[in-house]
Amino acid sequence: MSGPYGGAAPGPDGVAPRAGAGAPRAGAAAPRAGGRASRAEGSRRRADGAASRADGQPPHTDAASPLTRAALALGLAVVLQVVVLTLLFPNLWYGLHDISDIPIYQEYSSLMAQGYRPYLDFGVEYPPLALPIFRLGGDGLDPDAYTTGFTVAMGVITVAGAIVVTLAALALWPRGRRPYWAAVAYAAAVAFTGTIIVNRYDAAVALLVAGLLLCLARRWLTAAAFILGLGFALKLTPLALLPLVLLLAGHPRRWAWPLLAFVAAAVTPFIPYVVSSPGGVWEVFAYHLERPLQIESVLGTPMLVAGALGWAPLEIGFSHGSHQLIAGGADAAAYLSGPLTIAAVLGVYWLLWKRRDTLRAAPEEQPLAVLALLLALMAFGKVLSPQYVIWMLPPLALVAVRDRTVAVLGAVVLLLTQIEFPGLYGDLLREETEALVVVIVRNLALLVLFGVVALRVWWLGAATWSPRAGRAHTDLVR
């Protein structure tokens, strides 16, 4: 029997047998052969256990049945999320609804309840699938009741996201403790993110991202594309993840159903509004294209530094629903954000293309790809609203259980975002040094996180990175 590169195939211990060793000697005793097989099996099991420990997995399998294991992991995910939402969030150093977008959603819901038509009778800057999300809080006629209803709805969606992330972990790792750690990681990520998760509708975007990861883990590529279509009708940006699904599908002849599913899910919610008010629907896209450089964006960091050090004048204005930077170079940075974001996303896709065989053969690496693409969108966009970090929670949780460096960097980004918003946001608008430093450090940490994740993508295939072992160990995908 020959090995993958010719010659004798290696034995169980990785050593090629001597010539002629494949056949037993005449008259060889059966007990000696059985003893050699037993020793070889023992060596193989010890090697498997060592490899599992180096990769962060316990050797062999759990004692629990698959159904019991799934029930335990899902139960843990639900309990931890409920604890975070009901015990932690009401007792943070800031109010549960400080600086919330819920009043905006309440106004839209109230107008719709009174019979006014979105995009025609009143302008909406959100895509059409956001509208039913706004209605989850109620008719909006009672602001207090709406606030309570919407908060509960986002809490339920957050719990659902935890369940889907855990299901994805169970699909990726049928053995070992990683699904339990994924449930813990997601709850920790929500805690580090803070109450903004129940004050914005981006929890629904995170749920769709979690659904995408589950579909990729199960190799349901058409369903994955359908979910991305829903994401486009909800937040637009998930469109950037569609090429990943096509890359995983392989040959272009396999793209037809995923593309059809994406188009159906993405276009259908727009149709009734395009018919009634095409100009109103176009304003959704124009609104985001025209947005200026937002105060918390990574591209605005040099201006924040210059302003904090007194090197250049810095002013803050308000436009398109957020606070903008008014400083030298702000308009140029806003203009360049589009090309820079496209370049960053294409750069990630170039890395993914180079490692496409590994991604197709190893679904556990796919959350890393999703995280890299989301970070590329966040790091170079002209707007980096605090709620955008919610999008990356599902892939971050799945990557964090395997990579402590990414886990720590992700926690830093989330925690600094929560410290800045809402607690220090007023200080930021007043250009106070402490708030400026927090945003600057957060943005630098985000860039470092993006760089580390991109490097991890580059390492795929040639070697599998083992953060627990602190080294790269060969695990070639042939």
Side-chain angles (χ1 to χ4, degrees), residues 210-238:
L212 166 70
L213 293 168
L214 175 59
C215 290
L216 294 182
R218 292 293 186 183
R219 302 181 189 272
W220 301 333
L221 298 185
T222 299
F226 184 84
I227 287 175
L228 288 179
L230 295 178
F232 175 79
L234 182 66
K235 198 72 178 184
L236 301 182
T237 48

Side-chain angles (χ1 to χ4, degrees), residues 12 37 83 87 95 102 122 140 148 181-182 205 233 276 290 306 310 329 394 400 407-408 417 430 471:
V83 168
L87 299 182
I102 292 179
F122 63 95
T148 300
W181 285 115
V205 181
S276 62
E290 296 168 357
V408 171
T417 302
R430 291 187 292 271
R471 59 185 172 84

